[in-house]
Amino acid sequence: MTNVFLPGLLAGKTAFIAGGSSGINLGIAERFAELGANLVLLARNQEKLDAAVAVLQAKGAQALGLAADVRDYAAIEQRFNEASQKFGTLDIVVSGAAGNFLAPAIGLSANGFKTVIDIDLIGTFNVFRASWEHLTKPGASLIAISAGQGVHPMPFQAHACAAKAGINMLTKCLALEWGPAGVRVNAISPGPIGDTEGMARLAPTPESTAALKGRLALRDYGTKQDVADMAVFLATPGAGYVTGSIFNVDGGNDLGDASADALTPPRH
Ligand code: COA
Protein backbone atom coordinates (compact mmCIF):
# COMPACT_ATOMS: atom_id res chain seq x y z
CA MET A 1 0.00 0.00 0.00
CA THR A 2 1.62 3.27 -1.09
CA ASN A 3 1.60 6.09 1.42
CA VAL A 4 1.87 9.44 -0.34
CA PHE A 5 1.16 11.52 2.77
CA LEU A 6 3.50 12.49 5.61
CA PRO A 7 2.97 10.57 8.88
CA GLY A 8 1.11 12.68 11.43
CA LEU A 9 -0.44 14.88 8.71
CA LEU A 10 -3.80 14.87 10.52
CA ALA A 11 -2.47 14.83 14.11
CA GLY A 12 -4.69 16.87 16.43
CA LYS A 13 -7.54 16.94 13.89
CA THR A 14 -10.95 15.39 14.56
CA ALA A 15 -13.05 13.81 11.82
CA PHE A 16 -16.75 12.91 12.07
CA ILE A 17 -17.74 10.27 9.52
CA ALA A 18 -21.40 9.44 8.91
CA GLY A 19 -21.78 5.94 7.51
CA GLY A 20 -18.33 5.24 8.92
CA SER A 21 -18.80 1.69 10.16
CA SER A 22 -18.25 0.00 6.79
CA GLY A 23 -17.23 0.24 3.16
CA ILE A 24 -15.67 3.33 1.60
CA ASN A 25 -16.42 5.45 4.68
CA LEU A 26 -14.58 3.07 7.00
CA GLY A 27 -11.71 3.08 4.48
CA ILE A 28 -11.59 6.88 4.84
CA ALA A 29 -11.70 6.58 8.63
CA GLU A 30 -8.82 4.09 8.59
CA ARG A 31 -6.69 6.36 6.44
CA PHE A 32 -7.43 9.35 8.67
CA ALA A 33 -6.50 7.22 11.72
CA GLU A 34 -3.19 6.17 10.14
CA LEU A 35 -2.39 9.87 9.65
CA GLY A 36 -3.09 10.73 13.29
CA ALA A 37 -6.70 12.03 13.38
CA ASN A 38 -9.25 11.40 16.13
CA LEU A 39 -12.36 9.73 14.73
CA VAL A 40 -16.07 9.83 15.46
CA LEU A 41 -18.06 7.28 13.50
CA LEU A 42 -21.82 7.47 13.13
CA ALA A 43 -23.92 4.58 11.80
CA ARG A 44 -27.10 2.72 12.62
CA ASN A 45 -25.72 -0.51 14.05
CA GLN A 46 -23.80 -0.35 17.36
CA GLU A 47 -22.16 -3.78 16.88
CA LYS A 48 -20.71 -2.77 13.52
CA LEU A 49 -19.62 0.54 15.04
CA ASP A 50 -17.84 -1.23 17.91
CA ALA A 51 -15.96 -3.44 15.44
CA ALA A 52 -14.95 -0.42 13.34
CA VAL A 53 -13.82 1.53 16.41
CA ALA A 54 -11.62 -1.42 17.42
CA VAL A 55 -9.97 -1.35 13.97
CA LEU A 56 -9.21 2.38 14.36
CA GLN A 57 -7.94 2.00 17.92
CA ALA A 58 -5.59 -0.78 16.76
CA LYS A 59 -4.05 1.87 14.48
CA GLY A 60 -3.44 4.07 17.54
CA ALA A 61 -6.36 6.47 16.99
CA GLN A 62 -8.79 7.80 19.58
CA ALA A 63 -12.17 6.73 18.23
CA LEU A 64 -15.80 6.93 19.28
CA GLY A 65 -18.73 5.05 17.69
CA LEU A 66 -22.15 6.72 17.97
CA ALA A 67 -25.32 5.02 16.79
CA ALA A 68 -27.99 7.04 14.97
CA ASP A 69 -29.92 7.05 11.71
CA VAL A 70 -29.05 10.00 9.42
CA ARG A 71 -32.81 10.36 8.77
CA ASP A 72 -33.35 11.36 12.43
CA TYR A 73 -32.25 15.01 12.76
CA ALA A 74 -32.70 15.24 16.53
CA ALA A 75 -30.54 12.15 17.03
CA ILE A 76 -27.83 13.52 14.74
CA GLU A 77 -27.79 16.83 16.63
CA GLN A 78 -27.38 14.94 19.90
CA ARG A 79 -24.53 12.87 18.46
CA PHE A 80 -22.67 16.00 17.33
CA ASN A 81 -23.01 17.39 20.87
CA GLU A 82 -21.45 14.20 22.24
CA ALA A 83 -18.66 14.26 19.65
CA SER A 84 -17.63 17.81 20.42
CA GLN A 85 -17.90 17.25 24.18
CA LYS A 86 -15.22 14.57 23.76
CA PHE A 87 -12.96 16.09 21.11
CA GLY A 88 -13.76 19.83 20.87
CA THR A 89 -14.53 21.39 17.50
CA LEU A 90 -14.61 19.22 14.39
CA ASP A 91 -12.14 19.76 11.55
CA ILE A 92 -13.47 17.25 9.01
CA VAL A 93 -17.01 15.96 8.41
CA VAL A 94 -17.66 13.20 5.89
CA SER A 95 -21.28 12.47 4.94
CA GLY A 96 -21.27 9.03 3.37
CA ALA A 97 -24.30 7.12 4.65
CA ALA A 98 -26.11 5.72 1.61
CA GLY A 99 -28.68 3.15 0.58
CA ASN A 100 -29.13 1.71 -2.87
CA PHE A 101 -30.53 -1.20 -4.83
CA LEU A 102 -31.31 -1.89 -8.46
CA ALA A 103 -34.99 -1.39 -9.23
CA PRO A 104 -36.94 -0.17 -12.26
CA ALA A 105 -39.05 2.91 -11.54
CA ILE A 106 -42.23 0.89 -11.98
CA GLY A 107 -40.89 -1.58 -9.40
CA LEU A 108 -40.44 1.19 -6.82
CA SER A 109 -43.13 2.21 -4.36
CA ALA A 110 -43.31 5.86 -3.38
CA ASN A 111 -41.78 4.82 -0.09
CA GLY A 112 -38.93 2.95 -1.82
CA PHE A 113 -38.01 6.10 -3.78
CA LYS A 114 -38.38 8.28 -0.68
CA THR A 115 -36.24 5.96 1.42
CA VAL A 116 -33.16 6.46 -0.76
CA ILE A 117 -33.74 10.24 -1.00
CA ASP A 118 -34.12 10.34 2.79
CA ILE A 119 -30.91 8.43 3.51
CA ASP A 120 -28.64 9.93 0.84
CA LEU A 121 -29.82 13.48 0.22
CA ILE A 122 -31.73 14.50 3.33
CA GLY A 123 -29.22 12.52 5.42
CA THR A 124 -26.39 14.62 3.95
CA PHE A 125 -28.29 17.84 4.68
CA ASN A 126 -28.96 16.65 8.23
CA VAL A 127 -25.32 15.74 8.89
CA PHE A 128 -23.87 18.95 7.45
CA ARG A 129 -26.55 21.20 8.98
CA ALA A 130 -26.16 19.65 12.43
CA SER A 131 -22.36 19.89 12.19
CA TRP A 132 -22.36 23.67 11.67
CA GLU A 133 -22.37 24.69 15.35
CA HIS A 134 -19.44 22.34 16.03
CA LEU A 135 -17.10 23.12 13.15
CA THR A 136 -13.64 24.64 13.41
CA LYS A 137 -14.15 28.05 11.80
CA PRO A 138 -12.17 28.92 9.78
CA GLY A 139 -10.62 25.71 8.55
CA ALA A 140 -13.24 22.93 8.56
CA SER A 141 -13.53 20.69 5.51
CA LEU A 142 -16.85 18.99 4.69
CA ILE A 143 -16.89 16.11 2.23
CA ALA A 144 -20.04 14.55 0.77
CA ILE A 145 -19.90 11.15 -0.90
CA SER A 146 -21.67 11.35 -4.24
CA ALA A 147 -21.58 8.98 -7.24
CA GLY A 148 -21.63 9.00 -11.03
CA GLN A 149 -25.42 8.61 -10.76
CA GLY A 150 -25.48 12.30 -9.80
CA VAL A 151 -24.49 13.24 -13.36
CA HIS A 152 -25.27 10.25 -15.61
CA PRO A 153 -28.80 8.86 -15.85
CA MET A 154 -28.80 5.08 -15.34
CA PRO A 155 -31.52 2.46 -15.73
CA PHE A 156 -32.93 1.04 -12.47
CA GLN A 157 -31.30 3.91 -10.55
CA ALA A 158 -33.92 6.73 -10.68
CA HIS A 159 -33.89 6.95 -6.88
CA ALA A 160 -30.07 7.02 -6.55
CA CYS A 161 -29.61 9.35 -9.53
CA ALA A 162 -32.08 11.85 -8.06
CA ALA A 163 -30.47 11.61 -4.62
CA LYS A 164 -26.87 11.97 -5.81
CA ALA A 165 -27.71 14.86 -8.17
CA GLY A 166 -29.25 16.55 -5.15
CA ILE A 167 -26.09 15.93 -3.12
CA ASN A 168 -23.96 17.55 -5.83
CA MET A 169 -26.09 20.69 -5.81
CA LEU A 170 -26.33 20.75 -2.01
CA THR A 171 -22.50 20.60 -1.90
CA LYS A 172 -22.24 23.64 -4.14
CA CYS A 173 -24.90 25.67 -2.33
CA LEU A 174 -23.36 25.01 1.09
CA ALA A 175 -19.92 25.89 -0.31
CA LEU A 176 -21.34 29.26 -1.42
CA GLU A 177 -22.99 30.02 1.88
CA TRP A 178 -20.32 28.70 4.24
CA GLY A 179 -17.17 29.77 2.38
CA PRO A 180 -17.13 33.23 4.02
CA ALA A 181 -16.81 31.50 7.41
CA GLY A 182 -13.79 29.55 6.13
CA VAL A 183 -15.68 26.27 5.78
CA ARG A 184 -15.00 24.37 2.55
CA VAL A 185 -17.55 21.92 1.15
CA ASN A 186 -16.68 19.41 -1.59
CA ALA A 187 -17.82 16.00 -2.77
CA ILE A 188 -16.08 12.86 -3.91
CA SER A 189 -17.74 10.79 -6.61
CA PRO A 190 -16.28 7.30 -6.38
CA GLY A 191 -16.56 5.04 -9.40
CA PRO A 192 -16.61 1.26 -9.06
CA ILE A 193 -14.67 0.48 -5.88
CA GLY A 194 -13.79 -3.14 -5.12
CA ASP A 195 -14.84 -5.00 -1.98
CA THR A 196 -17.87 -2.81 -1.22
CA GLU A 197 -21.54 -3.61 -0.60
CA GLY A 198 -22.48 -1.12 -3.32
CA MET A 199 -20.57 -2.98 -6.04
CA ALA A 200 -21.77 -6.34 -4.75
CA ARG A 201 -25.29 -5.03 -5.32
CA LEU A 202 -24.68 -3.25 -8.64
CA ALA A 203 -22.41 -5.85 -10.34
CA PRO A 204 -23.21 -9.06 -8.49
CA THR A 205 -21.78 -11.71 -10.90
CA PRO A 206 -18.28 -12.40 -12.29
CA GLU A 207 -19.68 -11.66 -15.78
CA SER A 208 -21.11 -8.27 -14.84
CA THR A 209 -17.89 -7.41 -12.97
CA ALA A 210 -15.67 -8.31 -15.97
CA ALA A 211 -17.92 -6.40 -18.36
CA LEU A 212 -17.80 -3.30 -16.19
CA LYS A 213 -14.01 -3.43 -15.76
CA GLY A 214 -13.63 -3.78 -19.53
CA ARG A 215 -15.46 -0.48 -20.03
CA LEU A 216 -13.22 1.50 -17.67
CA ALA A 217 -10.25 3.48 -19.04
CA LEU A 218 -8.08 2.17 -16.20
CA ARG A 219 -9.53 -1.35 -16.64
CA ASP A 220 -9.97 -2.17 -12.96
CA TYR A 221 -11.99 -1.32 -9.89
CA GLY A 222 -10.53 1.27 -7.55
CA THR A 223 -9.69 0.65 -3.90
CA LYS A 224 -11.05 2.20 -0.76
CA GLN A 225 -7.63 3.80 -0.31
CA ASP A 226 -7.97 5.57 -3.67
CA VAL A 227 -11.08 7.31 -2.33
CA ALA A 228 -9.57 7.85 1.11
CA ASP A 229 -6.51 9.58 -0.31
CA MET A 230 -8.73 12.11 -2.09
CA ALA A 231 -10.53 12.71 1.21
CA VAL A 232 -7.19 13.27 2.96
CA PHE A 233 -6.19 15.80 0.31
CA LEU A 234 -9.51 17.65 0.62
CA ALA A 235 -9.10 17.74 4.40
CA THR A 236 -5.68 19.41 4.32
CA PRO A 237 -4.50 22.97 3.62
CA GLY A 238 -3.24 21.60 0.28
CA ALA A 239 -6.87 21.96 -0.81
CA GLY A 240 -7.27 25.27 1.01
CA TYR A 241 -8.57 27.10 -2.10
CA VAL A 242 -10.85 24.26 -3.20
CA THR A 243 -14.57 24.43 -2.48
CA GLY A 244 -17.83 23.53 -4.20
CA SER A 245 -16.16 20.90 -6.40
CA ILE A 246 -17.10 17.31 -7.17
CA PHE A 247 -14.08 15.03 -7.60
CA ASN A 248 -14.33 11.81 -9.59
CA VAL A 249 -12.22 8.96 -8.24
CA ASP A 250 -13.43 6.53 -10.84
CA GLY A 251 -10.75 5.14 -13.14
CA GLY A 252 -12.21 7.22 -15.97
CA ASN A 253 -15.76 5.90 -15.58
CA ASP A 254 -17.16 9.40 -16.09
CA LEU A 255 -15.52 9.57 -19.53
CA GLY A 256 -17.75 6.87 -20.95
CA ASP A 257 -17.19 3.49 -22.54
CA ALA A 258 -13.46 2.75 -23.02
CA SER A 259 -13.87 -0.88 -24.12
CA ALA A 260 -11.86 -2.06 -27.10
CA ASP A 261 -15.05 -2.28 -29.18
CA ALA A 262 -16.01 1.27 -28.37
CA LEU A 263 -12.54 2.64 -29.12
CA THR A 264 -11.74 0.70 -32.32
CA PRO A 265 -12.55 2.86 -35.35
CA PRO A 266 -14.91 1.15 -37.81
CA ARG A 267 -13.23 -0.27 -41.02
CA HIS A 268 -14.31 1.26 -44.30
N1 COA B 1 -36.54 -2.87 -4.99
C1 COA B 1 -37.62 -2.07 -4.83
N2 COA B 1 -37.97 -1.51 -3.62
C2 COA B 1 -37.16 -1.77 -2.57
C3 COA B 1 -36.01 -2.58 -2.67
C4 COA B 1 -35.70 -3.14 -3.96
N3 COA B 1 -34.63 -3.93 -4.14
N4 COA B 1 -35.40 -2.63 -1.44
C5 COA B 1 -36.18 -1.89 -0.61
N5 COA B 1 -37.23 -1.37 -1.29
C6 COA B 1 -38.30 -0.55 -0.75
C7 COA B 1 -39.12 -1.35 0.27
O1 COA B 1 -40.05 -2.20 -0.39
C8 COA B 1 -39.78 -0.24 1.08
O2 COA B 1 -40.90 0.29 0.40
P1 COA B 1 -42.44 -0.15 0.82
O3 COA B 1 -42.56 0.25 2.27
O4 COA B 1 -43.33 0.61 -0.08
O5 COA B 1 -42.50 -1.62 0.60
C9 COA B 1 -38.74 0.84 1.08
O6 COA B 1 -37.81 0.54 0.01
C10 COA B 1 -37.98 0.90 2.37
O7 COA B 1 -37.44 -0.38 2.62
P2 COA B 1 -36.94 -0.79 4.08
O8 COA B 1 -36.24 -2.11 3.96
O9 COA B 1 -38.05 -0.64 5.05
O10 COA B 1 -35.91 0.41 4.38
P3 COA B 1 -34.69 0.44 5.33
O11 COA B 1 -34.62 1.81 5.83
O12 COA B 1 -34.71 -0.67 6.33
O13 COA B 1 -33.48 0.13 4.35
C11 COA B 1 -32.53 0.36 2.16
C12 COA B 1 -33.01 1.05 3.43
C13 COA B 1 -33.73 -0.15 1.44
C14 COA B 1 -31.82 1.36 1.28
C15 COA B 1 -31.62 -0.83 2.48
O14 COA B 1 -31.21 -1.44 1.30
C16 COA B 1 -30.40 -0.41 3.30
O15 COA B 1 -30.50 -0.30 4.52
N6 COA B 1 -29.29 -0.18 2.67
C17 COA B 1 -28.08 0.29 3.37
C18 COA B 1 -26.88 -0.34 2.79
C19 COA B 1 -26.70 -0.07 1.34
O16 COA B 1 -27.64 0.06 0.57
N7 COA B 1 -25.49 0.02 0.95
C20 COA B 1 -25.14 0.32 -0.41
C21 COA B 1 -24.67 1.71 -0.48
S1 COA B 1 -24.31 2.19 -2.15
Side-chain angles (χ1 to χ4, degrees):
M1 202 183 282
T2 316
N3 186 3
V4 295
F5 296 111
L6 290 173
L9 180 66
L10 299 178
K13 303 289 182 189
T14 300
F16 185 108
I17 305 192
S21 65
S22 63
I24 286 172
N25 302 305
L26 178 56
I28 293 172
E30 288 188 53
R31 200 80 180 112
F32 284 179
E34 287 160 9
L35 294 168
N38 307 316
L39 272 310
V40 182
L41 305 183
L42 181 132
R44 283 185 294 181
N45 183 304
Q46 190 65 54
E47 265 177 39
K48 283 174 73 178
L49 277 168
D50 292 344
V53 163
V55 167
L56 302 177
Q57 287 171 338
K59 292 178 183 287
Q62 286 197 68
L64 184 64
L66 301 175
D69 190 318
V70 292
R71 292 170 282 191
D72 180 349
Y73 188 78
I76 300 300
E77 242 184 344
Q78 174 58 28
R79 292 324 201 178
F80 272 106
N81 287 335
E82 291 166 34
S84 60
Q85 268 160 25
K86 180 160 174 68
F87 290 118
T89 63
L90 305 172
D91 305 288
I92 309 161
V93 178
V94 178
S95 177
N100 198 6
F101 45 78
L102 287 172
I106 54 167
L108 267 177
S109 66
N111 190 44
F113 185 85
K114 178 178 179 296
T115 297
V116 172
I117 299 290
D118 278 347
I119 297 171
D120 292 23
L121 175 56
I122 296 177
T124 298
F125 176 81
N126 288 347
V127 167
F128 285 170
R129 173 64 192 88
S131 77
W132 173 257
E133 282 76 12
H134 305 282
L135 298 175
T136 306
K137 300 185 202 83
S141 171
L142 274 48
I143 303 167
I145 303 300
S146 186
Q149 283 94 327
V151 177
H152 300 288
M154 293 181 200
F156 312 135
Q157 287 282 271
H159 43 313
C161 289
K164 296 297 189 180
I167 287 175
N168 289 355
M169 196 50 87
L170 177 65
T171 297
K172 294 176 191 200
C173 291
L174 295 184
L176 263 182
E177 292 193 22
W178 293 357
V183 174
R184 296 180 297 106
V185 189
N186 293 288
I188 299 175
S189 178
I193 302 298
D195 193 24
T196 57
E197 188 182 339
M199 286 318 297
R201 287 178 182 226
L202 296 177
T205 65
E207 293 75 22
S208 54
T209 300
L212 179 49
K213 286 183 179 179
R215 289 198 298 273
L216 293 169
L218 295 185
R219 289 290 192 271
D220 203 356
Y221 284 177
T223 65
K224 291 172 193 165
Q225 189 184 327
D226 290 323
V227 180
D229 282 348
M230 176 60 83
V232 172
F233 172 66
L234 289 173
T236 64
Y241 201 52
V242 178
T243 197
S245 297
I246 319 291
F247 293 89
N248 296 323
V249 180
D250 70 349
N253 193 34
D254 184 63
L255 303 171
D257 188 348
S259 64
D261 285 351
L263 297 180
T264 306
R267 285 169 185 252
H268 294 290

